[in-house]
Amino acid sequence: MGELTPVEITVFVDRTYALKLKTPPASELLKKAAGIAKGSADPLKKKVGKVTRAQITEIAKRKMPDLNAKDMAGAESMIAGTARQMGLEIVE
């Protein structure tokens, strides 16, 4: 409850439809994990929060069905890149 969830709706000619629920965006999950309202306007100079490697792994596991990564290491790398572009510092 209270999470942003993308939905893919396909409407057919006979007026039936198919709903496909996706996982929440990585940026929303990262903001929730870091406890911030929004990312940094200047991520290279101004850091707005911190996330741990464990949090990144947890988010990558949750996002794995929607990512085009071959393995968990690739998924973690994608999530870490999103975190850096939001101005989040990754700590061990």
Side-chain angles (χ1 to χ4, degrees):
M1 190 76 177
E3 285 188 342
L4 213 63
T5 305
V7 178
E8 186 177 296
I9 302 171
T10 306
V11 181
F12 301 104
V13 177
D14 62 353
R15 294 188 179 203
T16 59
Y17 58 89
L19 294 174
K20 184 177 180 185
L21 296 174
K22 304 269 186 168
T23 57
S27 60
E28 292 296 320
L29 296 173
L30 285 165
K31 286 191 299 187
K32 189 175 182 179
I36 58 173
K38 63 179 187 174
S40 175
D42 189 9
L44 296 176
K45 295 180 183 175
K46 184 180 177 190
K47 302 297 181 187
V48 293
K50 296 180 182 183
V51 290
T52 64
R53 281 277 171 206
Q55 289 172 320
I56 288 177
T57 302
E58 181 181 322
I59 292 169
K61 284 179 186 175
R62 186 168 177 192
K63 289 287 296 174
M64 194 63 180
D66 289 338
L67 294 176
N68 59 354
K70 291 182 181 179
D71 56 358
M72 187 55 67
E76 289 176 11
S77 176
M78 287 180 180
I79 301 299
T82 302
R84 281 191 299 273
Q85 289 301 312
M86 291 177 63
L88 296 173
E89 186 179 345
I90 301 169
V91 296
E92 298 298 322

